[in-house]
Amino acid sequence: GLDFLYQVSAEEWLKKLKLPDTEISRNYDGPFRAALARGNAVLITTLVAVNDELRLLLPPQDHLVLLPHGINDLGVDNLSPDSDKYVRHFYPVMLADPAQPGIGFAMQLALRGQGLDPSAAEWNIGGMKLTRQLERLSIGYAGPQGTVPTLSMKTLLEPGAVNDPKVQALRGKIVIVSASNAGSSDRHFTPYSHAAFFASFFSQGQDVDQMDGGEIHANIIETILSGRYPKALPGWAGALYMLAVVFVATLLFLRMSPERGVMAGLFIAAWLPVPAFFAFRHDLVMPVAGPQVGLAAAFLFTVILRLTGEERERARMKQMFGSYVSDEVVDMLLTEGRKLDLGGETVRVTVLFSDIRNFTTISERLAAHEVVEMLNEYFTRATAPILAQRGNVNKYIGDAVMAVFGSPVSYPDHARRALRASLQMAAEAEKFRGWMEQRFPDRGLPRFGIGIGIHTGDAVMGNIGSVKRLEFTAIGDTVNAASRLEGVTKDLGCVLVASRQTVQAAGSGVGTGKTETVKVKGREEPIEVFEILSLEERRSGIDRRTGRRVE
């Protein structure tokens, strides 16, 4: 196959020069004409569009008359790139009219190599039935640029070249003579183009970017003769493969953090071409872009799902705890990812009860709206230390405040936090006394003061209440004891008392004053209580068990 389109024969060119008629001018290309006349050569034609009409560019008439098989010694050499300029397909027949030289160049050579009649209406070749109709088929490339053996024209022109073993190896083969120099415009992108790693590996250092038109025709001939046409996965198999990739990726994304999910997605996307490449080596075309897009969609889906889920969980947590704990505690609950057992769970906590001394007398001497104003101001000041120590302001009972330390977020130093918060509450009460005297002068109000009782022990935490109204709170002996200890402050004449259990749990540095063993109502076992005067601050550090900063 001569992959050259001659515009003029040597004789015609010499005639244009108007040289004298000589033997050399008459026989200059005699050997070439003799080779054409033997009938074992195929010349190319090219389909071109002229004024929106397809026309064939034919060899010179001097050559056409020498071809023993006429139009069956011609083949259309047009390649058919896809929209992205990559050549993946070919047409065995480009013009269905048998009166036209419409068989493809590669198809014509394949028919000649198999001794089949090009004028027939159909052919069985390579185990496949091909007809004289327009049919687009996939090219089964044998490999990247350089896979098909080549010989340079210089080798063929060497003296005694016919005895060269490389030339002898061409006997009985289909041979294409074409331009393959780097400056040729007959170079095209193929599925192996830009395949930096794999193509360079298999091509053994050859140029992997574009392939010569002659080698593409050779690959088409090999495809026709071998019947190795790349086949795409059936629609159901491709969809199943894509769903499997997306399903596995989604499971991974749901189990990973978004940062790790991005890395995992990029890793999977980068390796998806690997099975597709080896499948392509066995003439099976697997989807790559589709699963990669599916990966991106799966990641976005999990991010959106996680965000909406976290927002719902955050809203639920805010609704349940927002008024009782700091935003920091809510964030920690969400960060930990620990699901609270709202049905009830036993946890070790420290419970704080505080109320206002002589509140009944105060409320009798103030108007209703003034009582509300006073309580709101006091509760704002009193609960700030509790929230600062990450306690849970569990409820307000009239003028009393109940707080829980160690739930819903567990801290190993919850007893110490409770003592620190209570000392700050006592200090705030001292400041609030000045506010009361300034806000309600000449009302004859008793001196403002508070009492605080603290106890540490096990309590049941959960949603408690009726079907229509539930409240996350603590119940049990620990809560009752803390409530009773708050009343003991009146008997001891102090502001703040804590049980021995709390003092021991708080560790060193607790300054105590008065001490007494009391028997509180509703509890048979007596409780040893201590007046709390101070708390020595300890150096902060990291708790090895929880990873949290503690003091």
Side-chain angles (χ1 to χ4, degrees):
L2 299 178
D3 192 13
F4 296 95
L5 184 61
Y6 299 97
Q7 297 295 313
V8 64
S9 67
E11 290 91 341
E12 289 179 336
W13 181 74
L14 290 171
K15 286 179 180 178
K16 288 182 179 181
L17 296 179
K18 297 181 179 180
L19 296 176
D21 187 16
T22 62
E23 184 66 23
I24 190 172
S25 66
R26 289 193 298 270
N27 300 312
Y28 179 78
D29 61 349
F32 177 68
R33 287 184 285 133
L36 294 181
R38 281 197 292 270
N40 62 351
V42 174
L43 300 181
I44 63 169
T45 66
T46 301
L47 277 170
V48 296
V50 179
N51 297 326
D52 296 329
E53 183 179 335
L54 285 178
R55 294 185 182 179
L56 280 170
L57 292 181
L58 298 172
Q61 188 64 31
D62 289 358
H63 293 168
L64 288 175
V65 298
L66 295 170
L67 300 176
H69 304 104
I71 63 172
N72 291 326
D73 283 333
L74 300 176
V76 183
D77 75 330
N78 295 69
L79 296 175
S80 303
D82 293 342
S83 58
D84 59 0
K85 308 303 181 183
Y86 279 66
V87 180
R88 301 183 183 89
H89 305 89
F90 74 102
Y91 289 93
V93 176
M94 295 191 181
L95 295 175
D97 185 0
Q100 295 284 335
I103 296 178
F105 179 58
M107 179 66 174
Q108 194 70 273
L109 287 168
L111 293 175
R112 185 64 55 83
Q114 293 292 295
L116 299 176
D117 182 9
S119 63
E122 60 183 41
W123 309 272
N124 288 310
I125 183 169
M128 187 169 179
K129 181 179 178 181
L130 301 177
T131 63
R132 192 182 287 274
Q133 299 295 328
L134 284 178
E135 184 178 11
R136 196 165 184 258
L137 302 175
S138 297
I139 304 173
Y141 282 93
Q145 170 82 359
T147 301
V148 176
T150 59
L151 282 179
S152 69
M153 186 62 72
K154 181 180 178 181
T155 300
L156 293 176
L157 296 178
E158 291 287 343
V162 71
N163 297 318
D164 188 326
K166 294 180 180 178
V167 178
Q168 287 290 326
L170 300 179
R171 189 179 301 277
K173 302 292 193 300
I174 298 174
V175 177
I176 297 175
V177 181
S178 68
S180 62
N181 55 296
S184 170
S185 61
D186 190 19
R187 298 173 68 82
H188 308 270
F189 291 111
T190 71
Y192 284 94
S193 297
H194 305 304
F197 173 74
F198 291 105
S200 61
F201 177 78
F202 285 105
S203 64
Q204 299 178 347
Q206 298 289 333
D207 178 17
V208 299
D209 193 26
Q210 291 181 303
M211 185 178 289
D212 304 325
E215 188 167 359
I216 294 178
H217 286 302
N219 275 281
I220 296 173
I221 295 170
E222 185 67 22
T223 301
I224 296 171
L225 294 178
S226 66
R228 293 178 60 246
Y229 299 89
K231 300 292 192 303
L233 284 175
W236 63 270
L240 188 62
Y241 172 67
M242 182 170 174
L243 286 175
V245 171
V246 171
F247 177 74
V248 172
T250 302
L251 290 181
L252 288 176
F253 295 152
L254 288 174
R255 293 175 179 269
M256 294 179 174
S257 65
E259 294 79 11
R260 291 186 176 182
V262 169
M263 300 304 296
L266 292 175
F267 179 82
I268 296 172
W271 279 93
L272 276 176
V274 175
F277 176 82
F278 286 103
F280 172 74
R281 298 280 295 177
H282 293 84
D283 306 313
L284 182 64
V285 179
M286 293 179 64
V288 174
Q292 287 177 335
V293 172
L295 276 176
F299 178 75
L300 290 176
F301 169 76
T302 55
V303 169
I304 293 172
L305 187 66
R306 181 176 282 129
L307 288 175
T308 54
E310 287 182 356
E311 285 301 318
R312 286 196 299 269
E313 184 68 9
R314 183 179 294 274
R316 189 175 73 92
M317 290 291 186
K318 287 282 188 182
Q319 182 180 8
M320 185 177 298
F321 300 110
S323 300
Y324 308 109
V325 299
S326 64
D327 291 341
E328 184 181 16
V329 173
V330 175
D331 292 336
M332 291 184 67
L333 280 171
L334 295 172
T335 302
E336 283 185 347
R338 183 173 70 88
K339 298 296 184 182
L340 294 175
D341 185 0
L342 299 180
E345 60 179 338
T346 301
V347 293
R348 192 159 188 81
V349 296
T350 298
V351 180
L352 178 154
F353 266 91
S354 169
D355 75 349
I356 300 174
R357 295 282 179 265
N358 302 310
F359 178 71
T360 302
T361 303
I362 294 174
S363 61
E364 286 177 350
R365 297 178 183 181
L366 295 178
H369 71 277
E370 291 176 329
V371 173
V372 172
E373 179 188 356
M374 181 202 75
L375 286 176
N376 287 339
E377 181 67 25
Y378 166 69
F379 284 148
T380 300
R381 298 184 182 212
T383 57
I386 298 173
L387 297 178
Q389 296 302 318
R390 298 179 182 174
N392 170 12
V393 181
N394 194 260
K395 63 181 68 176
Y396 300 101
I397 310 169
D399 63 313
V401 178
M402 172 186 170
V404 179
F405 294 81
S407 179
V409 175
S410 175
Y411 295 98
D413 60 340
H414 54 80
R416 197 172 188 86
R417 289 175 180 272
L419 291 180
R420 188 182 298 115
S422 63
L423 288 170
Q424 293 171 357
M425 288 175 67
E428 288 294 332
E430 289 290 332
K431 297 177 183 178
F432 189 72
R433 182 181 300 134
W435 184 90
M436 288 287 291
E437 294 173 354
Q438 183 179 1
R439 176 66 181 85
F440 304 111
D442 304 325
R443 295 290 188 96
L445 298 178
R447 183 180 176 83
F448 183 85
I450 64 171
I452 304 173
I454 305 174
H455 181 55
T456 300
D458 292 337
V460 177
M461 303 295 301
N463 265 341
I464 298 171
S466 67
V467 176
K468 292 186 176 181
R469 180 172 177 80
L470 294 173
E471 182 181 38
F472 186 81
T473 189
I475 59 172
D477 178 67
T478 298
V479 179
N480 296 332
S483 174
R484 301 303 179 187
L485 290 184
E486 181 275 322
V488 173
T489 59
K490 299 176 184 178
D491 300 330
L492 292 181
C494 59
V495 176
L496 169 60
V497 299
S499 65
R500 171 173 289 278
Q501 290 89 333
T502 298
V503 173
Q504 289 177 340
S508 62
V510 180
T512 60
K514 303 174 185 178
T515 179
E516 187 174 332
T517 299
V518 298
K519 190 172 180 14
V520 298
K521 184 178 179 182
R523 199 174 195 271
E524 294 183 1
E525 185 179 350
I527 302 176
E528 187 176 4
V529 298
F530 297 85
E531 178 187 11
I532 305 299
L533 300 176
S534 63
L535 182 65
E536 181 182 340
E537 294 300 332
R538 297 185 301 190
R539 182 179 298 177
S540 62
I542 302 298
D543 184 86
R544 293 183 178 180
R545 183 176 64 85
T546 63
R548 295 195 182 98
R549 181 172 293 278
V550 296
E551 295 179 350

